[in-house]
Amino acid sequence: MRSWKLWVGLGVSVVFLAIALRGLDLRLFLQTLRTANYWWLLPAVMVYFVGVWLRTLRWQVMLAHLVPIPARRLFPVVVIGYMGNNVYPARAGEVLRSYVLRRTEGVAMSASLATVVIERIFDGLVMLLFIGITLPFAPLPAGLQTVALGFSLFFGVAMLIFMLLAARPARLSQSYALVVNHLVPSGLRPKLHGLFDRFVIGLQSLRSPRDLVAMLGLSLLIWLIETSTYWLVLQAFPFTVSFAVLMLMTAVVNLFTTIPSTPGYIGTFHVPGIAVLMQAGVTQALATGYTVVLHIALWLPITLLGAVYMLRKSIGWSDMEQAARLKAEQERSDREREDVAPGVVP
């Protein structure tokens, strides 16, 4: 990966970690870690992987218009992708996931990457729903409320645009090409046209009301199960908060992890989680200890399992660079095609 992405992410994580550690009583924090009942992590991890299986089913629905793939074959691909997000910067695991799918199932990377974008939009909408439901019972600090509002606007507009693209691809393609050809420098037009075409292909699952309901229902269930993981880890610590507070924490933490940071979301995961718990009356040492252990429980098992699946599929770390090269080649191919017929959706 390009070094600048790593350095930007590192800088963001350092800033967030400085915020998280400011004023922390290290002695009380270490005491919190020593006295936690770590046996609760076993059921927490089991429940978390139920959520990963549901993520696999949701991706299966999104890919069905391209090629039907059994969930048991998709599950290792999903796990490898999340492992990649945990060890590579800039969510590069999404590219790795599409590369593995291309290699094992023959699905074009461009189309599968578009389905990954749809996943993120659904996740964002559910996070915002969680915030709306829980705010009357677990108010956010003012600064976090402003960030949540910004995410609300972004995900809402993105979903509206994507649904319009899926419903009227040809008509919107003409309007899109007209705007781009008048406002964008000629050197950039082919790449933008190619991006548009690839996303339209992958967005076709949004045209089916049945698939939309299935994807929304699975997304809600996925995040309720993840919140249940938060609740199970909570049992290891000597404090309690309501499930509504944990729903709010789940939503805010996962929205903040979209901010570029080091692999594994160091800092961007911890600061909002600690802030939500402290707003609910939890001491800083307890909130920090819980958030650190929770992060490890969510990060370590799926990363280890992803590494096992990589070995089984004879995939090495060099395949990440191969995935990036294939993605670049696809973009070049799209640009060449658009030089002949720009903005035309097949």
Side-chain angles (χ1 to χ4, degrees), residues 221-280:
L221 192 55
I222 285 164
W223 289 106
L224 285 172
I225 287 176
E226 179 134 336
T227 306
S228 298
T229 303
Y230 282 45
W231 182 86
L232 287 166
V233 175
L234 177 66
Q235 307 314 303
F237 293 86
F239 72 93
T240 184
V241 294
S242 69
F243 197 78
V245 170
L246 295 179
M247 288 176 65
L248 182 63
M249 180 181 176
T250 301
V252 175
V253 161
N254 283 279
L255 288 175
F256 266 76
T257 56
T258 61
I259 298 172
S261 65
T262 56
Y265 323 117
I266 296 174
T268 55
F269 182 97
H270 302 85
V271 168
I274 294 168
V276 169
L277 291 176
M278 291 181 65
Q279 184 77 10

Coordinates of all heavy atoms in Angstrom, one line a residue, residues 221-280:
L221 N -30.4 -6.9 12.1 CA -30.1 -8.1 12.9 C -28.6 -8.2 13.2 O -28.2 -8.5 14.3 CB -30.6 -9.3 12.2 CG -30.6 -10.6 13.1 CD1 -31.4 -10.4 14.4 CD2 -31.2 -11.8 12.3
I222 N -27.8 -7.9 12.2 CA -26.3 -7.9 12.3 C -25.9 -7.0 13.5 O -25.1 -7.4 14.3 CB -25.7 -7.5 11.0 CG1 -25.8 -8.6 10.0 CG2 -24.2 -7.1 11.2 CD1 -25.5 -8.2 8.6
W223 N -26.4 -5.8 13.5 CA -25.9 -4.8 14.4 C -26.6 -5.0 15.8 O -25.9 -4.6 16.8 CB -26.1 -3.4 13.9 CG -25.2 -3.1 12.8 CD1 -25.4 -3.1 11.5 CD2 -23.8 -3.0 12.9 NE1 -24.3 -2.9 10.7 CE2 -23.2 -2.8 11.6 CE3 -22.9 -2.9 14.0 CZ2 -21.9 -2.6 11.4 CZ3 -21.5 -2.7 13.8 CH2 -21.1 -2.6 12.5
L224 N -27.7 -5.6 15.9 CA -28.3 -5.9 17.2 C -27.5 -7.0 17.8 O -27.2 -7.1 19.0 CB -29.8 -6.4 17.1 CG -30.8 -5.2 16.9 CD1 -32.1 -5.8 16.5 CD2 -30.8 -4.3 18.1
I225 N -27.0 -8.0 17.0 CA -26.2 -9.1 17.5 C -24.8 -8.5 17.9 O -24.2 -8.9 18.9 CB -26.0 -10.2 16.4 CG1 -27.3 -11.0 16.3 CG2 -24.8 -11.1 16.7 CD1 -27.3 -12.0 15.2
E226 N -24.3 -7.6 17.1 CA -23.0 -7.0 17.5 C -23.1 -6.2 18.9 O -22.3 -6.3 19.7 CB -22.5 -6.0 16.5 CG -21.2 -5.4 16.9 CD -20.1 -5.4 15.7 OE1 -20.2 -6.2 14.9 OE2 -19.2 -4.5 15.8
T227 N -24.3 -5.5 19.1 CA -24.5 -4.9 20.3 C -24.6 -5.9 21.5 O -24.2 -5.7 22.6 CB -25.8 -4.1 20.3 OG1 -25.7 -3.1 19.2 CG2 -26.0 -3.3 21.6
S228 N -25.2 -7.1 21.2 CA -25.2 -8.2 22.1 C -23.8 -8.6 22.5 O -23.5 -9.0 23.7 CB -26.0 -9.4 21.6 OG -27.4 -9.0 21.3
T229 N -22.9 -8.6 21.6 CA -21.5 -8.9 21.9 C -20.9 -7.8 22.9 O -20.2 -8.2 23.8 CB -20.6 -8.9 20.6 OG1 -21.2 -9.8 19.7 CG2 -19.2 -9.2 20.9
Y230 N -21.3 -6.6 22.6 CA -20.9 -5.5 23.6 C -21.4 -5.9 25.0 O -20.7 -5.7 26.0 CB -21.4 -4.2 23.1 CG -20.7 -3.5 22.0 CD1 -20.3 -4.2 20.9 CD2 -20.4 -2.2 22.1 CE1 -19.6 -3.6 19.8 CE2 -19.7 -1.5 21.0 CZ -19.4 -2.2 19.9 OH -18.7 -1.6 18.9
W231 N -22.7 -6.3 25.0 CA -23.3 -6.6 26.3 C -22.6 -7.7 27.0 O -22.4 -7.7 28.3 CB -24.8 -6.9 26.1 CG -25.5 -7.1 27.4 CD1 -26.1 -6.2 28.2 CD2 -25.8 -8.4 28.0 NE1 -26.7 -6.8 29.3 CE2 -26.5 -8.2 29.2 CE3 -25.4 -9.7 27.7 CZ2 -26.9 -9.2 30.1 CZ3 -25.8 -10.8 28.5 CH2 -26.5 -10.5 29.7
L232 N -22.3 -8.8 26.3 CA -21.6 -9.9 26.9 C -20.2 -9.6 27.4 O -19.8 -10.0 28.5 CB -21.5 -11.1 25.9 CG -22.8 -11.8 25.6 CD1 -22.7 -12.7 24.3 CD2 -23.2 -12.6 26.8
V233 N -19.5 -8.8 26.7 CA -18.2 -8.3 27.2 C -18.4 -7.4 28.5 O -17.6 -7.5 29.4 CB -17.4 -7.5 26.1 CG1 -16.1 -6.9 26.7 CG2 -17.1 -8.4 24.9
L234 N -19.4 -6.7 28.5 CA -19.7 -5.8 29.7 C -19.8 -6.6 30.9 O -19.5 -6.2 32.0 CB -21.0 -5.1 29.4 CG -21.5 -4.2 30.5 CD1 -20.6 -3.0 30.8 CD2 -22.9 -3.6 30.2
Q235 N -20.3 -7.9 30.8 CA -20.5 -8.7 32.0 C -19.2 -9.0 32.7 O -19.2 -9.5 33.9 CB -21.2 -10.0 31.7 CG -22.5 -9.8 30.9 CD -23.4 -8.7 31.5 OE1 -23.8 -8.8 32.7 NE2 -23.8 -7.8 30.7
A236 N -18.1 -8.8 32.0 CA -16.8 -9.1 32.6 C -16.3 -8.0 33.5 O -15.3 -8.1 34.2 CB -15.8 -9.3 31.5
F237 N -17.0 -6.9 33.6 CA -16.6 -5.7 34.3 C -17.6 -5.3 35.4 O -18.8 -5.5 35.2 CB -16.4 -4.5 33.3 CG -15.2 -4.8 32.4 CD1 -15.4 -5.5 31.2 CD2 -14.0 -4.3 32.7 CE1 -14.4 -5.7 30.3 CE2 -12.9 -4.5 31.8 CZ -13.1 -5.2 30.7
P238 N -17.1 -4.6 36.4 CA -18.0 -4.3 37.6 C -18.8 -3.0 37.4 O -18.7 -2.1 38.3 CB -17.0 -4.2 38.7 CG -15.7 -3.7 38.1 CD -15.7 -4.3 36.7
F239 N -19.4 -2.9 36.3 CA -20.3 -1.7 36.1 C -21.4 -2.2 35.1 O -21.3 -3.2 34.4 CB -19.6 -0.5 35.6 CG -19.2 -0.5 34.2 CD1 -20.0 -0.1 33.1 CD2 -17.9 -1.1 33.8 CE1 -19.5 -0.1 31.8 CE2 -17.5 -1.1 32.5 CZ -18.3 -0.7 31.5
T240 N -22.5 -1.4 35.0 CA -23.6 -1.7 34.1 C -24.1 -0.5 33.5 O -24.1 0.6 34.1 CB -24.7 -2.5 34.9 OG1 -25.7 -2.9 33.9 CG2 -25.3 -1.6 35.9
V241 N -24.5 -0.6 32.3 CA -25.3 0.4 31.5 C -26.4 -0.3 30.8 O -26.4 -1.5 30.6 CB -24.4 1.2 30.6 CG1 -23.3 2.0 31.3 CG2 -23.7 0.3 29.6
S242 N -27.3 0.5 30.4 CA -28.5 -0.1 29.6 C -28.1 -0.5 28.3 O -27.1 -0.1 27.7 CB -29.6 1.0 29.5 OG -29.2 2.0 28.7
F243 N -28.9 -1.4 27.7 CA -28.7 -1.9 26.3 C -28.8 -0.7 25.3 O -28.1 -0.7 24.3 CB -29.7 -2.9 26.0 CG -29.4 -3.7 24.8 CD1 -28.4 -4.8 24.9 CD2 -30.0 -3.5 23.5 CE1 -28.1 -5.5 23.7 CE2 -29.6 -4.3 22.4 CZ -28.7 -5.3 22.5
A244 N -29.6 0.3 25.7 CA -29.7 1.5 24.8 C -28.4 2.2 24.7 O -27.9 2.7 23.6 CB -30.8 2.4 25.3
V245 N -27.7 2.3 25.9 CA -26.3 3.0 25.8 C -25.4 2.2 25.0 O -24.6 2.7 24.2 CB -25.8 3.1 27.3 CG1 -24.3 3.5 27.3 CG2 -26.6 4.1 28.1
L246 N -25.4 0.8 25.0 CA -24.6 0.0 24.2 C -24.9 0.1 22.7 O -24.0 0.1 21.9 CB -24.6 -1.4 24.7 CG -24.1 -1.7 26.1 CD1 -24.2 -3.2 26.4 CD2 -22.6 -1.3 26.2
M247 N -26.2 0.2 22.4 CA -26.6 0.5 21.0 C -26.0 1.8 20.5 O -25.5 1.9 19.4 CB -28.1 0.5 20.9 CG -28.8 -0.8 21.0 SD -30.6 -0.7 20.9 CE -30.9 -0.1 19.3
L248 N -26.1 2.8 21.4 CA -25.5 4.1 21.0 C -24.0 4.0 20.8 O -23.4 4.6 19.8 CB -25.9 5.2 22.0 CG -25.4 6.6 21.8 CD1 -26.0 7.2 20.5 CD2 -25.7 7.5 23.0
M249 N -23.4 3.3 21.7 CA -21.9 3.1 21.6 C -21.6 2.4 20.3 O -20.6 2.8 19.6 CB -21.4 2.4 22.8 CG -19.9 2.1 22.8 SD -19.4 1.2 24.3 CE -17.6 1.0 23.9
T250 N -22.3 1.3 20.0 CA -22.1 0.6 18.8 C -22.1 1.5 17.6 O -21.3 1.4 16.7 CB -23.1 -0.6 18.7 OG1 -23.0 -1.4 19.8 CG2 -22.9 -1.4 17.4
A251 N -23.2 2.3 17.5 CA -23.4 3.2 16.4 C -22.3 4.2 16.3 O -21.7 4.4 15.2 CB -24.7 3.8 16.5
V252 N -22.0 4.9 17.3 CA -21.0 6.0 17.3 C -19.6 5.5 17.0 O -18.8 6.0 16.2 CB -21.0 6.8 18.6 CG1 -19.9 7.8 18.6 CG2 -22.4 7.4 18.8
V253 N -19.2 4.4 17.7 CA -17.9 3.8 17.4 C -17.7 3.4 16.0 O -16.7 3.7 15.4 CB -17.7 2.5 18.4 CG1 -16.6 1.7 17.8 CG2 -17.4 3.0 19.8
N254 N -18.7 2.7 15.4 CA -18.6 2.2 14.0 C -18.6 3.4 13.0 O -18.0 3.3 11.9 CB -19.6 1.2 13.7 CG -19.2 -0.2 14.3 OD1 -18.4 -0.9 13.8 ND2 -19.8 -0.5 15.5
L255 N -19.3 4.5 13.3 CA -19.3 5.6 12.4 C -17.9 6.3 12.5 O -17.3 6.6 11.4 CB -20.3 6.6 12.8 CG -21.8 6.3 12.5 CD1 -22.8 7.3 13.0 CD2 -22.0 6.1 11.0
F256 N -17.3 6.3 13.7 CA -16.0 7.0 13.8 C -14.9 6.1 13.1 O -13.9 6.7 12.7 CB -15.7 7.2 15.3 CG -16.0 8.6 15.7 CD1 -17.3 8.9 16.0 CD2 -15.0 9.5 15.9 CE1 -17.7 10.2 16.4 CE2 -15.4 10.8 16.3 CZ -16.7 11.1 16.6
T257 N -15.1 4.8 13.0 CA -14.0 4.0 12.4 C -14.0 4.1 10.9 O -13.1 3.6 10.3 CB -14.2 2.5 12.8 OG1 -15.5 2.0 12.4 CG2 -14.0 2.2 14.3
T258 N -14.9 4.9 10.3 CA -14.8 5.2 8.9 C -13.7 6.3 8.7 O -13.3 6.6 7.6 CB -16.1 5.7 8.3 OG1 -16.6 6.9 9.0 CG2 -17.2 4.6 8.5
I259 N -13.3 7.0 9.8 CA -12.2 8.0 9.7 C -10.9 7.2 9.5 O -10.6 6.3 10.1 CB -12.2 8.8 11.0 CG1 -13.5 9.6 11.2 CG2 -11.0 9.8 10.9 CD1 -13.6 10.3 12.5
P260 N -10.1 7.7 8.5 CA -8.8 7.0 8.3 C -8.0 6.9 9.5 O -7.8 7.9 10.3 CB -8.1 7.8 7.2 CG -9.3 8.5 6.5 CD -10.3 8.8 7.6
S261 N -7.4 5.7 9.8 CA -6.6 5.5 11.0 C -5.6 4.4 10.7 O -5.6 3.9 9.6 CB -7.4 5.3 12.2 OG -8.1 4.1 12.1
T262 N -4.9 3.9 11.7 CA -4.1 2.7 11.6 C -5.0 1.5 11.4 O -6.2 1.5 11.7 CB -3.2 2.5 12.8 OG1 -4.1 2.4 13.9 CG2 -2.2 3.7 13.0
P263 N -4.4 0.4 10.8 CA -5.2 -0.8 10.7 C -5.7 -1.2 12.1 O -5.0 -1.1 13.1 CB -4.1 -1.8 10.2 CG -3.1 -1.0 9.5 CD -3.1 0.3 10.2
G264 N -7.0 -1.7 12.1 CA -7.6 -2.1 13.3 C -8.3 -0.9 14.0 O -8.8 -1.1 15.1
Y265 N -8.3 0.3 13.5 CA -9.1 1.4 14.0 C -8.6 1.8 15.4 O -9.4 2.2 16.2 CB -10.6 1.1 14.0 CG -11.0 0.3 12.8 CD1 -11.5 -1.0 13.0 CD2 -10.9 0.8 11.5 CE1 -11.9 -1.8 11.9 CE2 -11.3 0.0 10.4 CZ -11.8 -1.2 10.6 OH -12.2 -2.0 9.5
I266 N -7.3 1.8 15.6 CA -6.8 2.2 16.9 C -7.0 3.7 17.1 O -6.7 4.5 16.3 CB -5.2 1.9 17.0 CG1 -5.0 0.4 16.9 CG2 -4.6 2.4 18.3 CD1 -3.6 0.0 16.8
G267 N -7.6 4.0 18.2 CA -7.9 5.4 18.6 C -9.3 5.8 18.1 O -10.1 6.3 19.0
T268 N -9.6 5.6 16.9 CA -11.0 6.0 16.4 C -12.0 5.1 17.0 O -13.2 5.5 17.0 CB -11.0 6.0 14.8 OG1 -10.6 4.7 14.4 CG2 -10.1 7.0 14.2
F269 N -11.7 3.9 17.4 CA -12.6 3.0 18.1 C -12.8 3.4 19.5 O -13.9 3.4 20.1 CB -12.1 1.6 18.0 CG -13.1 0.5 18.6 CD1 -14.0 -0.2 17.8 CD2 -13.0 0.3 20.0 CE1 -14.8 -1.1 18.4 CE2 -13.9 -0.6 20.6 CZ -14.8 -1.3 19.8
H270 N -11.7 3.8 20.1 CA -11.6 4.0 21.6 C -12.2 5.3 22.1 O -13.0 5.3 23.0 CB -10.2 3.9 22.1 CG -9.6 2.5 21.7 ND1 -9.0 2.3 20.5 CD2 -9.5 1.4 22.4 CE1 -8.5 1.1 20.5 NE2 -8.8 0.5 21.6
V271 N -11.9 6.4 21.4 CA -12.3 7.7 21.9 C -13.9 7.8 22.0 O -14.4 8.2 23.0 CB -11.7 8.8 21.0 CG1 -12.4 10.2 21.3 CG2 -10.2 8.9 21.3
P272 N -14.6 7.5 20.9 CA -16.1 7.7 21.0 C -16.7 6.6 22.0 O -17.7 7.0 22.7 CB -16.6 7.4 19.6 CG -15.5 6.6 18.9 CD -14.2 7.1 19.5
G273 N -16.1 5.4 22.0 CA -16.7 4.4 23.0 C -16.5 4.9 24.4 O -17.5 4.8 25.2
I274 N -15.3 5.4 24.8 CA -15.1 5.9 26.1 C -16.0 7.1 26.4 O -16.6 7.2 27.5 CB -13.6 6.3 26.3 CG1 -12.7 5.0 26.2 CG2 -13.4 7.0 27.6 CD1 -11.2 5.3 26.0
A275 N -16.2 8.0 25.4 CA -17.0 9.2 25.6 C -18.4 8.8 25.9 O -19.1 9.4 26.8 CB -16.9 10.1 24.4
V276 N -19.0 7.9 25.2 CA -20.4 7.5 25.4 C -20.5 6.9 26.8 O -21.5 7.2 27.5 CB -20.8 6.5 24.3 CG1 -22.2 5.8 24.7 CG2 -20.9 7.1 23.0
L277 N -19.6 6.0 27.2 CA -19.7 5.4 28.5 C -19.6 6.4 29.6 O -20.3 6.4 30.6 CB -18.7 4.3 28.7 CG -18.9 3.1 27.8 CD1 -17.7 2.1 27.9 CD2 -20.2 2.4 28.1
M278 N -18.6 7.4 29.5 CA -18.5 8.4 30.5 C -19.7 9.3 30.6 O -20.1 9.8 31.7 CB -17.2 9.2 30.2 CG -15.9 8.4 30.5 SD -14.4 9.3 30.2 CE -14.5 10.6 31.5
Q279 N -20.3 9.6 29.5 CA -21.5 10.4 29.5 C -22.6 9.6 30.2 O -23.5 10.3 30.8 CB -22.0 10.6 28.0 CG -23.2 11.5 27.9 CD -22.9 13.0 28.1 OE1 -21.7 13.3 28.1 NE2 -23.9 13.8 28.2
A280 N -22.6 8.3 30.2 CA -23.6 7.5 31.0 C -23.2 7.3 32.4 O -23.9 6.6 33.2 CB -23.7 6.1 30.3

